Amino acid sequence: MQADDSDGSVLTCRNFVAGTWQDSAGPGIERTNPATGKVVAVAPRATASEVDAAVRAAGDAFRTWRRTVPAERAAHLHRLGEACAGRVDDLATAITREQGKPLDEARGEVRKFIAALHYYAEEATRVYGRTIPNDTPGFTSIVEKEPLGVVAGIVPWNYPIELVGWKLAGAVAAGCTIVIKPSEYTPGCAQVLSECLARTLPPGVANIVFGDGSTGQALVAHPHVAKVGFTGSLATGQALYRAVTGVTGLSLELGGSCPMIVTGSADVAGAVQGATRRAFRNAGQICIAINRIYVHDSVYDAFVEGLATAADALTVADGLANPAADVGSLTMDETYRRTLDHIADADKRGARIVAGGGPLEGPGLFLRPTVIADAPDDALVMTEETFGPAVGVARFTELTDAIDRANRVPGGLAAYAYTNDTRETFALAGELDFGNVAINNVDAGIINAPYGGRRESGFGSEHGPEGLESYLQLKHVRLRHGA
Ligand code: NAD
């Protein structure tokens, strides 16, 4: 083991099952701070039998949790939100130390997680069935909504707390119980969360098993799991599709290469500001990050110059030492190397690197925010998910051509556009083939509206009432009352 991170102690994670922390027989995982290389968390790699124990604990808890009234579930979720509000800095510090995003940004993530808990606490009380008149007198049909059962929540490392929240809050509000498998890159913040769960939810309602893909595989294939809620890469999503037993519900929130279109009528300064935020926040490691930008010829030069200037002005730094930094360390070697590959590929194809272009000097996985102008359509940055702080920019003259190019990728998660023309606005809203389209803003996901992808970005919705409904099943009760 390398030296501990000097900023704090090493977090020791233990599986959280039936309200208590359990030792694991599995070999451990060590997580290092990507900004310093020092060990910050150790976690077990839960074995199949430990996963089985967690699923059984969730199954036992489900027998009583499913019968609680919505107001009681709401009260528990509000209490969990309050408990987490008292630990914002602990949760955020754990995120920054293992994920790399600046501390202020991590605090923002935790606050959004808490907002999701409170939102679904309220939404729990707004689940209604319906009655259906029958053809025969003396009968009534009642349609009830019932919780599915035990949910497996598998989450990635880029928003390690917020993404747990979407699954945890929706499932628990619906009356389901859950087993969460955090990413092996971000176990520490889940350990802090388990301390909040222990104080606020009945034992077994929310459980956490630590581990990598092998632990995740055991969890999703468990026969007592009623639904798998997955957020992560396309490759893992496809593996899950094959691994679930066939009668298990499944939602897949996968990646994508998200486009932005800036038309000739757009507010260029606003578009530059939006692109800067959505291409480089969280070091570009966002499923809805802007990866490629198509800009009308008439505003192209002004936009490229503005974006390059804005990218160069961002502060890249260790997010613990400088909590207000704009861009922290990347989380893992894989995204670091892929970003450099995409930059090199574009360079080789004749694109112009007008900002950034490489690593910061010194230790850690730091890359300078990179703007690639005149990126050809077949460059990797314009065709694949980079998941790092690099964005490609290309020209267009006809809006239909820009929309075609924007749609020409296998995924369909989010798309962005800036325009001040009504006809263009409706053309963009109607023709961009993505699950989320944001126009004249870059915040494509809000907690009370459905959020999900199309095509290779997966299926199923989180957020909004739909995010709760996805943990419910219908029951038709046909009642002969004789009246
Ligand atoms: P990943 O697919 O490598 O891992 C995600 C989770 O799946 C981890 O917890 C991992 O341990 C687990 N896992 C790996 N193999 C498994 C298996 N065979 N069975 C079960 N579980 C397994 O993804 P990542 O690198 O952690 O995250 C980055 C990806 O997530 C990007 O592609 C990004 O676009 C996507 N993402 C999507 C959304 C969204 O809302 N659509 C949000 C965030 C991230």
Side-chain angles (χ1 to χ4, degrees):
M1 186 192 282
Q2 298 160 61
D4 296 353
D5 193 338
S6 57
D7 297 304
S9 58
V10 176
L11 273 169
T12 301
C13 308
R14 295 168 80 205
N15 294 329
F16 179 68
V17 176
T20 59
W21 291 272
Q22 321 236 319
D23 288 325
S24 172
I29 292 170
E30 272 185 359
R31 178 58 188 149
T32 53
N33 182 336
T36 64
K38 307 253 177 74
V39 175
V40 287
V42 289
R45 192 178 277 115
T47 63
S49 68
E50 290 160 4
V51 168
D52 179 60
V55 174
R56 284 177 191 281
D60 289 346
F62 180 65
R63 279 196 274 277
T64 46
W65 188 247
R66 67 185 286 272
R67 293 208 176 82
T68 52
V69 294
E72 185 178 345
R73 297 199 291 276
H76 279 287
L77 279 171
H78 281 310
R79 277 205 289 277
L80 176 59
E82 283 154 19
C84 293
R87 303 284 307 268
V88 170
D89 272 6
D90 295 337
L91 285 160
T93 302
I95 292 173
T96 298
R97 291 173 79 219
E98 56 197 3
Q99 197 271 341
K101 73 183 60 160
L103 190 57
D104 285 351
E105 197 177 329
R107 289 183 177 120
E109 175 183 342
V110 176
R111 288 192 194 102
K112 284 182 79 181
F113 162 72
I114 292 167
L117 295 173
H118 291 305
Y119 170 75
Y120 277 113
E122 294 300 311
E123 208 57 42
T125 64
R126 290 193 279 263
V127 174
Y128 313 117
R130 68 189 207 273
T131 59
I132 301 175
N134 277 211
D135 289 348
T136 318
F139 286 81
T140 296
S141 283
I142 302 168
V143 181
E144 300 271 16
K145 293 181 180 174
E146 297 186 341
L148 281 172
V150 175
V151 171
I154 313 265
V155 289
W157 46 261
N158 62 333
Y159 284 90
I161 282 293
E162 191 181 355
L163 293 175
V164 166
W166 300 355
K167 292 167 179 44
L168 168 76
V172 166
C176 294
T177 55
I178 188 165
V179 180
I180 298 154
K181 210 293 285 167
S183 168
E184 56 273 39
Y185 291 93
T186 49
C189 54
Q191 174 66 26
V192 180
L193 173 63
S194 73
E195 294 161 16
C196 302
L197 295 173
R199 290 172 44 208
T200 52
L201 295 187
V205 169
N207 309 272
I208 299 176
V209 288
F210 293 95
D212 54 17
S214 63
T215 301
Q217 179 89 21
L219 178 57
V220 302
H222 196 291
H224 294 173
V225 166
K227 169 158 186 181
V228 175
F230 174 75
T231 303
S233 64
L234 171 65
T236 307
Q238 286 171 328
L240 251 72
Y241 199 82
R242 293 188 291 272
V244 295
T245 54
V247 287
T248 307
L250 181 62
S251 70
L252 298 176
E253 299 276 356
L254 309 176
S257 165
C258 302
M260 177 190 198
I261 294 177
V262 182
T263 76
S265 71
D267 162 15
V268 175
V272 164
Q273 198 179 15
T276 308
R277 173 178 165 82
R278 194 47 73 222
F280 302 124
R281 202 166 165 74
N282 202 11
Q285 302 169 120
I286 314 184
C287 52
I288 55 169
I290 294 172
N291 217 137
R292 51 204 173 98
I293 307 178
Y294 304 95
V295 186
H296 190 265
D297 200 41
S298 60
V299 291
Y300 184 83
D301 292 337
F303 178 86
V304 167
E305 192 188 330
L307 186 60
T309 305
D312 280 338
L314 295 174
T315 307
V316 185
D318 180 331
L320 271 185
N322 184 351
D326 298 300
V327 181
S329 157
L330 274 77
T331 307
M332 62 201 299
D333 286 332
E334 190 186 318
T335 49
Y336 180 84
R337 289 189 196 296
R338 188 167 56 235
T339 307
L340 288 174
D341 286 350
H342 283 197
I343 297 168
D345 169 78
D347 191 33
K348 201 173 65 195
R349 291 171 194 269
R352 288 184 294 130
I353 313 299
V354 293
L360 275 195
E361 276 180 31
L365 301 178
F366 293 97
L367 287 178
R368 288 185 293 140
T370 298
V371 180
I372 303 167
D374 306 344
D377 280 353
D378 56 356
L380 293 175
V381 74
M382 303 305 270
T383 53
E384 294 184 3
E385 183 182 48
T386 306
F387 226 56
V391 64
V393 191
R395 274 175 210 273
F396 75 87
T397 48
E398 296 297 329
L399 187 58
T400 49
D401 171 56
I403 293 172
D404 280 351
R405 287 155 78 192
N407 285 341
R408 209 184 293 155
V409 288
L413 187 55
Y416 306 86
Y418 276 73
T419 173
N420 278 320
D421 179 287
T422 308
R423 193 182 301 189
E424 287 176 350
T425 301
F426 279 87
L428 288 156
E431 296 304 320
L432 284 168
D433 191 11
F434 293 78
N436 310 276
V437 176
I439 297 182
N440 294 332
N441 77 93
V442 290
D443 294 300
I446 56 172
I447 190 62
N448 54 352
Y451 167 83
R454 295 182 175 181
R455 308 189 300 283
E456 284 194 0
S457 293
F459 51 79
S461 292
E462 297 192 292
H463 293 193
E466 292 82 356
L468 176 51
E469 296 277 339
S470 71
Y471 296 106
L472 294 167
Q473 57 190 336
L474 299 178
K475 180 184 276 175
H476 172 207
V477 179
R478 186 157 187 255
L479 185 66
R480 180 178 185 175
H481 46 71

